[in-house]
């Protein structure tokens, strides 16, 4: 999914699967401003833009790699 040219909407189970994070961890990171906010699709439905999640993953990967070289 990383480096995809097409953005699409990811529902919570997909975001959890891609990131490896639990629901509570995702929402805690959102509250702290460290994860992209969800987009309201309807009264009881939210999703995340795949490009936002991909960018977040790339930032985490780059940060981890930079820590190893520092």
């Amino acid at each position: 999914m990383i480096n995809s040219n097409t953005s699409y909407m990811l529902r919570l189970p997909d975001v959890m699967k891609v990131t490896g994070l639990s629901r509570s961890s995702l929402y805690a990171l959102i509250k702290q401003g460290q994860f992209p906010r969800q987009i309201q699709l309807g009264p009881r439905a939210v999703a995340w833009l795949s490009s936002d999640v991909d960018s977040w993953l790339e930032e985490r990967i780059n940060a981890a790699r930079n820590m190893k070289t520092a």
Side-chain angles (χ1 to χ4, degrees), residues 40-45:
Q40 194 76 35
L41 299 177
R44 295 177 44 132

Side-chain angles (χ1 to χ4, degrees), residues 10 15 18-19 35-36 48-57:
L10 294 171
V15 175
V18 169
T19 63
F35 193 81
W48 285 259
L49 193 58
S50 62
S51 59
D52 290 347
V53 175
D54 288 344
S55 294
W56 181 85
L57 286 168

Side-chain angles (χ1 to χ4, degrees), residues 28-41:
L29 289 172
I30 291 168
K31 187 175 182 178
Q32 297 167 9
Q34 297 179 8
F35 193 81
R37 294 195 59 81
Q38 67 274 31
I39 298 168
Q40 194 76 35
L41 299 177

Side-chain angles (χ1 to χ4, degrees), residues 10-22:
L10 294 171
R11 297 299 302 269
L12 181 59
D14 297 320
V15 175
M16 290 169 43
K17 185 176 179 182
V18 169
T19 63
L21 297 170
S22 68

Side-chain angles (χ1 to χ4, degrees), residues 2-4 7 12 14 17 28 30 49 59 64 66 68-70:
I2 294 178
N3 294 329
S4 175
S7 290
L12 181 59
D14 297 320
K17 185 176 179 182
I30 291 168
L49 193 58
E59 289 172 11
N66 289 336
K68 290 181 181 179
T69 61

